[in-house]
Every structure is written in C-alpha cells, then in structure tokens.
Amino acid sequence: MKSTNQEKKNIVIAGGGFAGVRAALDLDNYLHDNRDYEIILIDRKNYQTYQSGLYEAATTEHAFVGAKKVKRTVAIPFSDIFGKTRVKVLEAYIDRIDTKSGRVITDARIVPFEYLVIAMGSVADFYDIKNLDKFGFTLKTLEDAMMIRNRIEEIVTKKDEARIVVGGAGFAGTEFAGELHNLLKQECRQHEKNPDNFKITLVEAATGFLPGLSEKVSAIVGNRMIQMGVESKFATRITEAAGDHVVLNMKEKLDCDLLIWTGGVRSVRLPLDCELVQDSKDRTLTRSVLNLENYPRIFIAGDNLGFIDPKTKKSVPQTAQEAINQAKTVARNIYRQIRGKPAASYIPGPIRYIIPASGKFAVLYSPNLIVAGFWGWVIRKFADLQYFFSVLPLYKALAYWLFENKIFMKND
C-alpha cells in the first residue's frame, strides 16, 4: 500500500548552503524509489548564496552592472536546483528545534521530522573587538556584498582620497583586496579621480598572507598584492573600530573610510533545546558518522560541525569542499539507517585550495602541487563550472557560469 501524505516521514534539512543543498540532492537520489519519506529544506531565502563569488559581487562597478545582474551572479534559485527533484523548499525562519518531540518550529509552520540535518551556516567572528560589529562591514551574504559595493562607489564619488582597511589576510581578505584594487581603478576612471589617492590596507595578526599555508604560497600572493599597491600590516591586530579609524595593537590610530572585516567566522548558535558539546567557535562536536550521541537521527554538517581530523589532530577547515563532503556522508548515513545498515565514518578530503588574487590570476595549492598565475585562474573557473554542474541541469549550469564570467570579468 502506498503511503498517504499524512503518513510520510520527513527528512528535514535546516539550511540551504553548500552542505544543505548537497544533502538534499543526494537524499533525493538515494530515495528516488522510496515514497515513504518527504525531503524538506528550510531556509530564510529562496536561493542558495554562492559564497565563493561574493567578493566579486561586492566589487562590480555600478556603471557596468546593475543590482539585479549582481544578484544573478551569486544567488542560485532553489527552484532551479530542485525543480526536477522531490525536494520541497520551505522559506522560513527557524525559531527552535524540539529534539524530544522531533519538531522544527518556524515562523511559517511546525515541521515534524524523522531525520534532521543541521547545516545553518556561520556568522562573522568579531572576537569581542570593541565596536567592530558596529563599524566593520562583513561579507557573508548578498546584502553584505551590495552594501559594500554601494559604499565604495559613494566614497569615490564624494572624496578625492580615502583608505579602505581589510581586516584579515586569509582567503577572504586577499581575494577581496585584489578585486577591490580593480574596482577602485574603474570607479576612479569613471569619476575622474586619481586612483593613487585611494589606498587599500590589509591588517593581519599573523606574520604573512594566508596563515596556515606554505611560505611559498604566501610569498606568491604577497608579491601579487605588492604589484597592485596593496599595503599590508602583519603581526598587527585591530583592537578597536570607529567610524573614521581603527586602533591597531591598542595604540596606533589608522584613519580609514571603510572597514571590511574578513578575520574569521563562527557557527551560528543552533536553536536546539538539548545540551551540545561545542568548541570555541560554537561548532558542534559529533560522532564520527556526523550525528549526535544522544540523538542519532540528528546530523550536523558544514560550518556548524566541529570535527577533529584523526590524521592531523586538527579541526577540519570550514571550506565549501569539506561542507559538501560532509553532506555526502550525512545523506549516505541517513539512507543506511533507513535500510538498517551500519553508518560509515566521515573521512576528510584532501587538502586543496584555490586562491584568486585579482584579475586572471589565482593560486592552486595542495601539499604536492602549486599552480600560480593564469592557469591557476583557469582551474578556478572550471572548479566553479564543476560545482554548477553538480547542482543544476547542464544547460542552466552552463548559462549561469557564462553569465557569471561575463559580469565578473568586466573589472579584470
């Protein structure tokens, strides 16, 4: 006998980022012939934010690209992703999760669940730096990107000289600083200003670019930034922020017209009503199969997960690649639970990063290979295309990729 809608069991996915989308698609694939289960993804937006493109969305010039086009470059509609699947999307805010009764309470309705995947993402970590949350612009959402873009144009329009400070010289900071350099050149040309009067200063607490990667990669990116005239202050901490300056190392005052904070993230606070074991970044520690010890049908993935790699004894990095790997493990283990099979442990993927550094220049890094320059950029572009192919129908993936490149390459 076929199940009615009332009898169906819900697999609820909280969050529509890299992990949530991958988990939903994989579960749809695993359960394609099982009509006993409903797959429901809950997110406050009706689109997935393509985080890897936000720094470029924030640095597209107003004269060339309108706001609607910018949104199209980083907002992938869930209707395009799940249009040919059984996944249902509920656009809602999650107020709390009742673990004992198995319910997700949202501002739209209450959703019971048989299985739950929590992949709700991260927020900027301000490290309790005085007034940083008030004056520092973050780059986590499409709205953030649009505000930064508008503010930069306003600065160039109204001022003849200015300084933009970027807090953090990790992946996000260096990517943003490189594209910001190109945007300032374009804006200054448009408004007949001298680009030499608009400074970019990167402030980093570590001793070089991209802390944690090899010195060779740091040097490559550093030389690229020097060539563009980007200033850097290492072994330096922002200890206070204000409307027109930042304080460095509790003593030095540095005037600035805009502060962009890319100095780190932490997990959003999960609205669960049970006690969780968490690390210093509010990431939840789980069993090796990525579920909770006392609630084996609740799984964690992405930026909400704090997982120690048994090989390196370090936390697994919070990257899109690992969020996707974790989601694959979660979907597989839910399916195995349904089938009454033992769960499989999550195994972190190989270390591999691609760092864009302005224009058609990027660095591919792995422990055994470094590719820098134009070919690094080509690899990055095909990595984007590979992702779009993994979540969209072929023709939509290609159209999205071509449109994104058409917009983003205007500043190169």
Side-chain angles (χ1 to χ4, degrees), residues 132-196:
L132 183 57
D133 59 340
K134 182 178 180 180
F135 296 106
F137 283 67
T138 59
L139 190 52
K140 291 290 296 174
T141 67
L142 172 63
E143 291 79 12
D144 290 341
M146 299 301 289
M147 284 193 293
I148 290 171
R149 179 176 182 258
N150 292 338
R151 178 63 180 140
I152 291 169
E153 199 219 8
E154 181 184 18
I155 288 171
V156 177
T157 301
K158 294 182 177 181
K159 294 177 176 287
D160 292 323
E161 59 180 28
R163 180 186 302 277
I164 299 174
V165 172
V166 180
F171 296 103
T174 53
E175 290 169 359
F176 177 78
E179 289 302 316
L180 174 60
H181 168 263
N182 290 345
L183 173 61
L184 287 174
K185 284 197 306 182
Q186 298 283 1
E187 290 286 358
C188 285
R189 184 181 300 116
Q190 180 73 21
H191 296 285
E192 299 182 343
K193 301 292 178 71
N194 182 356
D196 294 336

Side-chain angles (χ1 to χ4, degrees), residues 256-331:
C256 75
D257 299 88
L258 177 62
L259 169 61
I260 310 297
W261 179 249
T262 65
V265 298
R266 63 190 309 111
S267 169
V268 299
R269 293 196 177 272
L270 302 183
L272 287 161
D273 62 355
C274 62
E275 188 173 335
L276 300 171
V277 180
Q278 296 180 321
D279 64 13
S280 60
K281 292 281 190 178
D282 291 335
R283 296 173 297 194
T284 300
L285 307 183
T286 66
R287 301 166 68 215
S288 65
V289 297
L290 304 188
N291 61 1
L292 298 180
E293 182 75 37
N294 297 325
Y295 298 91
R297 294 191 178 188
I298 298 179
F299 292 79
I300 312 286
D303 287 347
N304 304 141
L305 175 66
F307 191 88
I308 304 299
D309 188 332
K311 292 183 178 179
T312 65
K313 309 301 180 185
K314 297 180 180 179
S315 293
V316 173
Q318 292 171 276
T319 64
Q321 179 182 349
E322 278 312 311
I324 292 167
N325 288 341
Q326 291 156 12
K328 290 178 178 179
T329 298
V330 166

Side-chain angles (χ1 to χ4, degrees), residues 55 166 168-182 200-202 208-210 217-234 355-359 361-363:
Y55 73 97
V166 180
F171 296 103
T174 53
E175 290 169 359
F176 177 78
E179 289 302 316
L180 174 60
H181 168 263
N182 290 345
I200 304 169
T201 302
L202 274 164
F209 289 95
L210 304 168
V217 172
S218 179
I220 291 171
V221 172
N223 288 336
R224 178 72 172 169
M225 293 296 151
I226 290 171
Q227 291 172 8
M228 293 186 291
V230 175
E231 301 172 350
S232 56
K233 290 180 175 289
F234 296 116
I355 309 104
S358 182
F361 187 104
V363 182

